[in-house]
Amino acid sequence: MDILVIGGVAAGTKTAAKLKRENRDFNVTIITNGKDISYAGCGLPYYVGGVIENKESLIVNTPQTFEKLTQVKVITNTQALKINRDKKTVNTKNIITNEEKEFSYDKLVIATGASPIKPNLEGIDLEGIYYVRTPEDAINLRSIIEKEDIKRAVVVGGGFIGLEIAENLFENNIKTTIIDANENIPPGFDKEVSSYIQERLIDEGIMVLTDEKVTSIIGEKRVSKIKTDKRVMKADLVVMSVGIRPNSKIAKDCGLSLEKNETISVNYNMQTDDEDIFAVGDCACVKNIITNESTWSPMGSSANKEGRCVARTIVGKESRFKGVLGTSIVKILDISAARTGLTEKDAIALGHNVESVIVPLDDKAHYYPGAGLLFIKLIADKNTEQVLGAQVFGKGSVDKQIDTIATAIHFKAKVSDLQDLDLAYAPPFSTAISPVGHVANVLLNKIYESVNIIKFEDFIENQDSYKVVDVNKAPSIEDAMYVNLTDIDGKVDGLEYDDKILLVCQRGKRAYLTYNRMEYYGYKNLSILEGGLSLNKEMGDL
């Protein structure tokens, strides 16, 4: 069987290598228009910042080493021009020699990836404007940083790559500004989570400008300023990170079906509407495990699983790529942020009766050196207890918590199932009740109305009707009434039984204990501030 793979990097190389492992008699060929076929795309921002020192580390395999390892034939610097489905051939052209050639196939795999979006802006072709999609991009950007006196940089786009680039520029003592047209960054998080991340960036010295559009780039030969719909600012270099676009034109031109976002439509075997043509990686569409709707997952993790699925399908083994949950994670200076499943906003839009909670937690025993404060937002359907999504952010083991919840969602777990997970515990690794188990306990209390927990924004809308009570170990909120938990043994002086009371502490635990005791003594209208002062620093300024 002759199998032709158009494109390399993660999806194409995984498909090709797995095919040869499954059947050494297959003739597997990769054609790619670049000179590299396998590189660490996700590591590019860290090479820019010098965290990854050597550019050679970015290249996972050269075409030569890949051929020797896998026995796959690799043809570089060759562009696929046209797929002839009737003849089962692909027309190509060598981009260096312009030589044209036709390849035949029994099975074809399209792994053409995606390209960075180049906005249609005045000045977009000036020198000093960079993209970060290939090793050459990262090498060129780092070279400029090392050779020239770069004082100010602007990153246009606050997605994960944009944030990682901003971090690495900032760590090289470059005054860095992030500009994004959306109201909040990064995407995929609920507003209160994004707000925390944005404030953290600003506190550290990275300027964040959201809900702001770049209108032009100013300079004679090289960029000198960037203009938005709200201001003009100086810039020695600009990194465009406004998103990517699937490279699906070759599929469209030969009549294959595309989704609304221009990704190639496939089934659970990553098979297009032509039974002999498959599509994998950033150019293809997949399914959302929760909603079963088409979605886009331009991630190296998805690409590798998709490639494996295609290889097994071609050799006749049962294999289905079930889809994704949108699980992702990013490091931002000294904190991390991760997400999986549905956001609260998306879950509501889909018709779920949503309940959620954000809880500040230690990632390991509080007395153990290096314990980090993290926040977990857990989202569930109130009627069924089905876990719908989670967002974890802060210091410590963010990855461990999000992976645990992603696994639970994959297997359709309920919130009560999270309580019973037998997770590893020792002081260097976790708390005795795991962070995931703890947030599940709190959410169940909220679902079954054992305790009333309100968001900061809900308090702000009705703050005149509340009596704010500071229940920290020591007074921490100016102008708020202070009550010491251990002194409560009946009616509290200054608080009537029918007063609308908001209990506030640092993380919520002491407020919960106070709530429980005051409720026992007859108070009927109690609430706890979700996330406490740890999440809502503005509370201390009211």
Side-chain angles (χ1 to χ4, degrees):
M1 184 181 290
D2 292 323
I3 303 168
L4 184 64
V5 181
I6 304 174
V9 195
T13 55
K14 169 57 74 173
T15 304
K18 181 64 175 172
L19 278 165
K20 289 297 287 187
R21 290 198 297 271
E22 291 287 342
N23 190 326
R24 291 286 173 188
D25 291 330
F26 284 171
N27 298 313
V28 183
T29 302
I30 292 176
I31 59 173
T32 177
N33 58 5
K35 65 182 181 68
D36 298 312
I37 63 159
S38 183
Y39 57 82
C42 297
L44 300 181
Y46 302 102
Y47 175 77
V48 171
V51 178
I52 298 172
E53 294 183 4
N54 302 316
K55 61 185 179 182
E56 291 77 17
S57 301
L58 298 174
I59 306 303
V60 179
N61 277 301
T62 66
Q64 295 75 24
T65 58
F66 187 79
E67 282 191 339
K68 290 179 180 179
L69 283 170
T70 64
Q71 296 182 310
V72 171
K73 186 176 181 180
V74 179
I75 301 173
T76 59
N77 298 313
T78 299
Q79 182 179 3
L81 301 174
K82 182 182 178 182
I83 298 170
N84 308 297
R85 291 169 57 187
D86 53 343
K87 297 193 301 179
K88 300 182 76 169
T89 62
V90 175
N91 297 119
T92 70
K93 182 178 74 172
N94 186 293
I95 62 176
I96 297 175
T97 66
N98 290 323
E99 178 187 0
E100 295 188 2
K101 187 175 181 180
E102 187 174 72
F103 291 84
S104 62
Y105 66 84
D106 295 307
K107 301 290 182 183
L108 175 67
V109 181
I110 303 174
T112 45
S115 297
I117 294 173
K118 182 179 180 179
N120 184 21
L121 295 172
E122 180 184 350
I124 193 64
D125 293 320
L126 288 169
E127 293 180 9
I129 299 174
Y130 297 88
Y131 302 83
V132 183
R133 185 67 180 170
T134 67
E136 288 80 7
D137 294 335
I139 291 167
N140 291 338
L141 180 53
R142 176 164 156 179
S143 176
I144 291 296
I145 292 170
E146 292 176 343
K147 291 179 181 178
E148 299 190 13
D149 184 21
I150 303 296
K151 291 184 171 64
R152 301 177 183 87
V154 173
V155 178
V156 183
F160 282 11
I161 296 297
L163 290 175
E164 290 167 350
I165 285 292
E167 174 192 22
N168 280 280
L169 293 172
F170 178 76
E171 296 285 14
N172 275 271
N173 299 314
I174 297 172
K175 185 178 181 181
T176 305
T177 300
I178 301 170
I179 302 176
D180 197 286
N182 294 308
E183 184 180 357
N184 296 290
I185 61 168
F189 291 86
D190 286 312
K191 184 176 180 179
E192 64 269 39
V193 181
S194 294
S195 295
Y196 180 92
I197 295 169
Q198 289 169 207
E199 288 171 10
R200 186 66 189 163
L201 288 167
I202 293 169
D203 287 345
E204 290 297 316
I206 296 177
M207 181 60 69
V208 178
L209 304 174
T210 56
D211 196 20
E212 191 161 338
K213 295 180 181 179
V214 175
T215 56
S216 65
I217 302 172
I218 301 169
E220 293 185 5
K221 185 178 179 182
R222 182 180 177 84
V223 59
S224 61
K225 295 178 182 177
I226 193 162
K227 184 178 181 181
T228 75
D229 54 0
K230 297 179 181 178
R231 74 195 81 221
V232 175
M233 66 181 67
K234 293 182 179 180
D236 299 316
L237 68 81
V238 175
V239 178
M240 302 301 303
S241 185
V242 295
I244 56 175
R245 183 178 290 117
N247 296 326
S248 56
K249 185 178 184 299
I250 194 170
K252 182 179 181 180
D253 288 348
C254 75
L256 296 177
S257 297
L258 303 185
E259 300 291 324
K260 290 181 180 179
N261 62 1
E262 297 294 301
T263 54
I264 303 169
S265 300
V266 294
N267 62 17
Y268 282 104
N269 302 118
M270 305 305 296
Q271 189 176 43
T272 69
D273 41 20
D274 184 319
E275 65 178 10
D276 292 320
I277 302 179
F278 299 79
V280 289
D282 293 359
C283 65
C285 185
V286 293
K287 295 291 184 183
N288 182 290
I289 291 173
I290 298 176
T291 67
N292 202 37
E293 294 177 352
S294 296
T295 191
W296 193 21
S297 181
M299 303 280 288
S301 52
S302 301
N304 275 276
K305 288 177 281 190
E306 294 162 25
R308 180 181 175 86
C309 170
V310 166
R312 287 176 58 83
T313 298
I314 288 175
V315 301
K317 295 182 178 180
E318 178 61 28
S319 184
R320 288 163 58 91
F321 182 63
K322 295 179 180 179
V324 300
L325 291 169
T327 307
S328 51
I329 190 168
V330 62
K331 174 186 172 294
I332 310 165
L333 301 174
D334 64 342
I335 66 169
S336 301
R339 66 169 307 276
T340 191
L342 303 177
T343 64
E344 183 173 4
K345 181 180 178 181
D346 289 341
I348 292 171
L350 288 168
H352 289 280
N353 182 11
V354 173
E355 192 64 271
S356 72
V357 73
I358 297 180
V359 182
L361 300 156
D362 289 312
D363 72 325
K364 54 181 66 72
H366 68 276
Y367 52 81
Y368 191 84
L373 171 65
L374 53 78
F375 300 82
I376 301 180
K377 177 171 186 176
L378 188 62
I379 304 157
D381 186 292
K382 190 172 183 179
N383 298 338
T384 64
E385 275 192 35
Q386 181 187 359
V387 182
L388 299 174
Q391 293 155 52
V392 187
F393 54 106
K395 299 181 180 181
S397 58
V398 169
D399 55 340
K400 176 179 177 179
Q401 318 309 326
I402 205 69
D403 286 344
T404 301
I405 299 172
T407 303
I409 296 174
H410 185 93
F411 292 107
K412 304 185 184 306
K414 296 182 177 182
V415 180
S416 52
D417 293 324
L418 299 181
Q419 291 180 300
D420 300 326
L421 292 175
D422 185 17
L423 303 177
Y425 164 65
F429 304 104
S430 181
T431 47
I433 297 178
S434 72
V436 169
H438 189 102
V439 73
N441 292 339
V442 177
L443 184 53
L444 286 172
N445 282 341
K446 197 173 180 182
I447 287 174
Y448 294 110
E449 300 179 351
S450 301
V451 63
N452 185 34
I453 304 172
I454 67 168
K455 299 178 185 293
F456 180 73
E457 60 187 33
D458 295 330
F459 161 70
I460 289 296
E461 289 178 6
N462 305 283
Q463 59 180 310
D464 292 339
S465 64
Y466 283 97
K467 283 190 175 180
V468 177
V469 178
D470 180 353
V471 294
N472 284 285
K473 288 184 178 180
S476 303
I477 305 174
E478 189 175 352
D479 297 330
M481 179 180 177
Y482 177 73
V483 173
N484 189 340
L485 162 65
T486 57
D487 292 338
I488 300 172
D489 59 1
K491 187 175 183 298
V492 178
D493 291 341
L495 295 175
E496 301 302 323
Y497 287 115
D498 58 352
D499 283 344
K500 192 174 182 180
I501 299 168
L502 179 68
L503 304 173
V504 182
C505 70
Q506 193 65 30
R507 299 193 186 182
K509 180 178 179 180
R510 196 170 178 88
Y512 172 66
L513 296 174
T514 305
Y515 183 106
N516 182 266
R517 187 176 293 200
M518 290 182 69
E519 186 178 50
Y520 173 77
Y521 284 119
Y523 287 89
K524 303 297 185 185
N525 203 356
L526 301 167
S527 299
I528 294 171
L529 178 65
E530 182 171 287
L533 295 176
S534 297
L535 181 66
N536 309 289
K537 293 182 173 61
E538 309 99 309
M539 192 73 199
D541 300 328
L542 294 178

